[in-house]
Amino acid sequence: MKLHRIFLVSCISLSMIMFSAIFHPRSGYADSSSFDMNTFQSQMHSDFILPSVLVTHPGPMFYFKNSKELKLSEQQLNKIKKITHKIIPKTQKQLKQIERLKGKYLDLMKSSNPNYHASRKLLQSIGKLEAIATADHLEAHLACYKVLTSEQKKTLSTLLAKH
């Protein structure tokens, strides 16, 4: 199970990093002046519970990167762009919450006598937020998939098999 998760995280991380060069957010994002897609994606991979379904249903960056092979129309690209503009600010807020709670947990555990119940409550909160953030992200991935035609879905399967 651990090897499976490491493999999935590695594959998704590499894919997201490769695709990040294509996408540069401009406006409409929380704290867009300091937004860095590589940092954002790296943090996602450390804070999200990444289900294996994300391997078969990639996110917007994959579609942008492979738009020519998939023969995406301008209308499809615009729909995927809208999905991206919706999920990134939401994810940024979720990641901030998760990191804040992780900081509280680590501070609590540094004490000489950490409280078990308080640490357990923080861990449960972190897990719940990670699961919600992952599910929200999965929703965006599946929304991108729905933009494709049947023929494009076949092409996507072929592209994913190569990665």
Side-chain angles (χ1 to χ4, degrees), residues 15-16 24 29 45 47 68-69 72-73 77 82 86 97-98 106 108 110-111 118 123 129 133-134 146 151 159:
S15 296
M16 296 295 277
H24 300 287
Y29 296 119
H45 296 299
D47 288 347
K68 285 188 172 92
E69 293 90 339
L72 295 175
S73 68
L77 287 169
K82 284 181 184 177
K86 181 180 175 185
Q97 279 185 292
I98 292 166
L106 292 173
L108 176 64
K110 287 177 187 173
S111 70
L123 286 173
L129 286 173
T134 302
K146 288 179 183 177
E151 190 60 37
L159 288 170

Side-chain angles (χ1 to χ4, degrees), residues 7-138:
F7 173 75
L8 290 175
V9 171
S10 298
C11 288
I12 293 170
S13 296
L14 287 173
S15 296
M16 296 295 277
I17 290 168
M18 285 179 10
F19 311 133
S20 68
I22 293 171
F23 183 73
H24 300 287
R26 298 284 186 253
S27 61
Y29 296 119
D31 195 22
S32 63
S33 62
S34 63
F35 186 87
D36 174 28
M37 183 58 85
N38 288 332
T39 303
F40 175 73
Q41 290 170 338
S42 175
Q43 188 177 0
M44 276 178 30
H45 296 299
S46 69
D47 288 347
F48 279 20
I49 302 166
L50 295 169
S52 60
V53 74
L54 295 182
V55 174
T56 55
H57 293 285
M61 300 309 114
F62 186 90
Y63 294 103
F64 292 132
K65 170 78 173 164
N66 295 284
S67 62
K68 285 188 172 92
E69 293 90 339
L70 290 166
K71 298 178 183 168
L72 295 175
S73 68
E74 281 300 314
Q75 184 180 17
Q76 287 174 310
L77 287 169
N78 285 334
K79 286 180 181 180
I80 293 170
K81 208 176 279 185
K82 284 181 184 177
I83 293 165
T84 305
H85 286 282
K86 181 180 175 185
I87 192 61
I88 287 183
K90 186 175 190 175
T91 302
Q92 281 182 303
K93 289 176 186 172
Q94 290 168 325
L95 293 175
K96 284 181 183 179
Q97 279 185 292
I98 292 166
E99 288 303 307
R100 184 181 57 77
L101 288 178
K102 282 183 175 182
K104 286 176 91 171
Y105 172 79
L106 292 173
D107 288 345
L108 176 64
M109 298 314 289
K110 287 177 187 173
S111 70
S112 60
N113 189 20
N115 181 295
Y116 169 75
H117 294 289
S119 62
R120 179 182 166 96
K121 185 177 177 183
L122 282 168
L123 286 173
Q124 288 174 331
S125 296
I126 292 166
K128 182 178 178 181
L129 286 173
E130 287 177 340
I132 291 168
T134 302
D136 289 345
H137 219 70
L138 177 59

